[in-house]
Amino acid sequence: MPSSVADRVGARSGPAVPGGVCAETVAGWYEDAMTSDAASARPDPTTEVVDLCRDLLRIDTTNTGDNDTSVGERRAAEYVAEKLAEVGVEPVIHESAPGRANLVARIPGADPSRGALLVHGHLDVVPADADEWSVHPFSGELRDGYLWGRGAIDMKDFDAMVLAVVRHWQRTGVQPPRDIVLAYTADEEAGSDYGAHFLVQRHGGLFDGCTEAIGEVGGFSYSVNDAQRLYLIETAEKGIDWLRLHAKGRPGHGSMVHDDNAVTALAEAVARIGRHRFPVVVTDTVRAFLEEVSDLLGIELDPDDPETAIAKLGPIANIIGATIRNTANPTRLSAGYKDNVIPGRATATIDCRSLPGQSELLERQLRELIGPDIAIEYIQRQPALETTFDGDLVEAMSAALRAEDPGARPVPYMLSGGTDAKAFSQLGIRCFGFAPLRLPADLNFSALFHGIDERVPVDGLQFGVRVLDRFLRTC
């Protein structure tokens, strides 16, 4: 699919869902549509999503953070473009650099006067070492009810869900109530400079009229018991403050007594950062989440000691626990060029994440820890985001979840990481994380992000298609 295929993109239209129709009415219509004779002759989106996701997982889209070694984004974008074009949607592909491809398409809604909804997902993945995995990370293997591969939950599952829903709509003549803008991006795993930020800065017109957006890491379940599940909808995410520290010293011979060693100074500063625990700050989003959880689980919530309640949350405690304070984790060290030479320079990379409104405070806190003699360089500095858990879009998400899972209780939460929402919010778009998945109660979901043996349950993937279909028909 050439990058010049279109400046603006559209889709074949069909009968619209009446505006204002209740979720129960749409749910019944959906069930009728999926069981009709006409529908039985077409691919079932809950079946097709598995094939789409497996195909995407088999495309190695590793993002190393270096253009020379990152691969596969163009190939993945062309795959998505082909699948959209097959059903009459004409996408446009924009490359920010050779191979760094981004795809955008617009599906016209029944009411063009309404603000459009942006649905975005990234195609790149973090690196994976095949020797550490039970299966090859780019095999897309089906095993034990799961689809395995790098990107299975971050986030080719959602990419495939959206593609399956859109293809089903185009085949059956469904038109959404408002314009839907699809964006499949590059480079999210390295800060989005070649992906969402590039699109916003260079091709912002593609998102004209978009007022709200949904993207990754939200809408997944946390089992309270057999009958009840929380579904965490992302309404906030921490800021990205990636730093590089630079220490200087006097070079010399490794055999000498040396009191001006750049490696020593840097190591001491890195150790202070790595062991430090920043003060607890409970934001509005985290407070709302903890109040919901405490009520449902019967946990006593002490506002001055939220960590006690968080510790009782099981696997998701890692995500929630990282959202009550600023964090700073050393991730890389570099120094020296020979075993017996004391180098004059040493550097370290620190992955810092700031709470909403606290990026400058975090910088001051770090300066106190590091000391005056080590220089700070920002690699990435992107603000935290936070919106409220209310409005028609939230109601539509909640209704779609409850229609597929009567035990669903949607709640807001803050993501400890960052997403492409940081770029799209610059256009005034209100962003949420909503990539619905119903997960097994014993699955440590948070450990799969950037971890080994990343996998998505097939029935969770199919659940996500059904929820998205309902949601997008009523949003």
Side-chain angles (χ1 to χ4, degrees):
M1 179 69 64
S3 59
S4 59
V5 67
D7 294 323
R8 300 285 296 190
V9 292
R12 194 171 50 201
S13 62
V17 180
V21 68
C22 68
E24 289 76 17
T25 300
V26 173
W29 178 49
Y30 174 78
E31 296 297 341
D32 291 343
M34 290 302 294
T35 55
S36 69
D37 291 339
S40 64
R42 305 184 184 101
D44 181 345
T46 60
T47 299
E48 187 176 41
V49 69
V50 180
D51 294 331
L52 295 170
C53 189
R54 183 170 53 197
D55 287 349
L56 286 170
L57 291 175
R58 288 173 173 172
I59 302 173
D60 181 352
T61 54
T62 297
N63 184 357
T64 64
D66 182 343
N67 281 355
D68 292 336
T69 54
S70 295
V71 298
E73 289 168 339
R74 175 81 196 196
R75 183 181 168 200
E78 288 176 343
Y79 172 85
V80 174
E82 177 184 352
K83 293 300 180 182
L84 290 173
E86 281 179 358
V87 293
V89 178
E90 294 184 358
V92 58
I93 289 178
H94 288 288
E95 281 194 338
S96 52
R100 313 307 301 269
N102 302 274
L103 177 149
V104 181
R106 184 178 289 256
I107 301 172
D111 184 356
S113 69
R114 291 187 58 196
L117 176 71
L118 170 62
V119 180
H120 61 94
H122 63 86
L123 292 168
D124 63 318
V125 299
V126 296
D129 183 348
D131 291 338
E132 298 176 334
W133 285 56
S134 301
V135 303
H136 194 282
F138 299 106
S139 64
E141 183 169 333
L142 278 167
R143 178 193 292 188
D144 303 326
Y146 288 84
L147 189 54
W148 299 61
R150 175 59 85 217
I153 52 98
D154 187 14
M155 59 172 300
K156 291 179 177 179
D157 58 339
F158 183 66
D159 294 338
M161 288 182 216
V162 174
L163 195 53
V165 169
V166 170
R167 283 168 61 84
H168 174 64
W169 282 3
Q170 292 297 110
R171 293 185 185 112
T172 56
V174 173
Q175 185 178 27
R178 63 199 287 195
D179 281 11
I180 303 292
V181 176
L182 308 178
Y184 287 81
T185 62
D187 198 38
E188 191 275 345
E189 296 292 3
S192 306
D193 288 344
Y194 293 95
H197 283 294
F198 164 78
L199 288 175
V200 166
Q201 293 162 11
R202 299 283 298 277
H203 302 284
L206 293 171
F207 308 102
D208 283 352
C210 289
T211 56
E212 297 167 307
I214 61 167
E216 64 177 324
V217 203
F220 60 91
S221 67
Y222 165 71
S223 294
V224 177
N225 51 49
D226 290 341
Q228 289 184 304
R229 278 155 296 282
L230 295 177
Y231 282 85
L232 283 65
I233 296 175
E234 185 209 311
T235 58
E237 59 183 50
K238 294 178 78 174
I240 297 175
D241 302 81
W242 293 345
L243 305 177
R244 189 164 288 135
L245 306 184
H246 300 274
K248 294 181 180 180
R250 188 178 70 255
H253 198 289
S255 68
M256 304 293 183
V257 175
H258 204 88
D259 58 2
D260 186 16
N261 189 316
V263 174
T264 301
L266 183 74
E268 289 172 344
V270 167
R272 288 193 296 270
I273 292 171
R275 295 193 181 101
H276 185 72
R277 291 296 175 268
F278 294 88
V280 170
V281 178
V282 180
T283 63
D284 291 343
T285 296
V286 174
R287 181 178 293 107
F289 171 82
L290 291 175
E291 288 173 351
E292 289 272 5
V293 169
S294 299
D295 175 62
L296 194 58
L297 299 182
I299 299 172
E300 183 177 353
L301 176 62
D302 180 353
D304 297 323
D305 181 26
E307 289 175 294
T308 298
I310 291 171
K312 299 177 182 179
L313 297 180
I316 66 167
N318 285 339
I319 294 179
I320 305 304
T323 63
I324 60 171
R325 52 167 49 93
N326 295 326
T327 58
N329 286 304
T331 56
R332 301 180 73 177
L333 295 169
S334 177
Y337 49 87
K338 197 172 186 298
D339 292 347
N340 62 347
V341 176
I342 297 170
R345 297 175 181 270
T347 64
T349 303
I350 314 293
D351 184 343
C352 304
R353 308 290 173 134
S354 55
L355 294 170
Q358 295 214 353
S359 181
E360 292 183 1
L361 173 61
L362 175 59
E363 183 177 353
R364 294 195 296 271
Q365 292 171 330
L366 288 168
R367 175 49 68 194
E368 291 178 2
L369 288 169
I370 294 166
D373 298 328
I374 293 178
I376 295 176
E377 172 195 4
Y378 277 92
I379 307 169
Q380 286 282 346
R381 195 170 196 181
Q382 300 187 41
L385 304 176
E386 189 166 28
T387 188
T388 52
F389 190 62
D390 56 19
D392 292 343
L393 199 72
V394 170
E395 289 300 319
M397 294 178 200
S398 301
L401 287 167
R402 293 190 186 105
E404 287 298 328
D405 181 0
R409 183 165 174 173
V411 296
Y413 93 108
M414 178 184 293
L415 176 66
S416 58
T419 74
D420 279 340
K422 295 187 184 306
F424 294 123
S425 66
Q426 296 174 27
L427 297 174
I429 298 172
R430 186 184 184 203
C431 297
F432 296 87
F434 187 65
L437 282 174
R438 180 168 173 173
L439 301 168
D442 59 353
L443 181 66
N444 189 347
F445 184 60
S446 63
L448 297 178
F449 283 86
H450 298 188
I452 62 172
D453 289 342
E454 185 179 347
R455 59 198 183 275
V456 63
V458 170
D459 56 0
L461 195 63
Q462 295 171 329
F463 171 87
V465 168
R466 295 192 297 270
V467 171
L468 275 177
D469 195 348
R470 293 180 187 273
F471 164 69
L472 291 172
R473 290 175 190 249
T474 58
C475 68

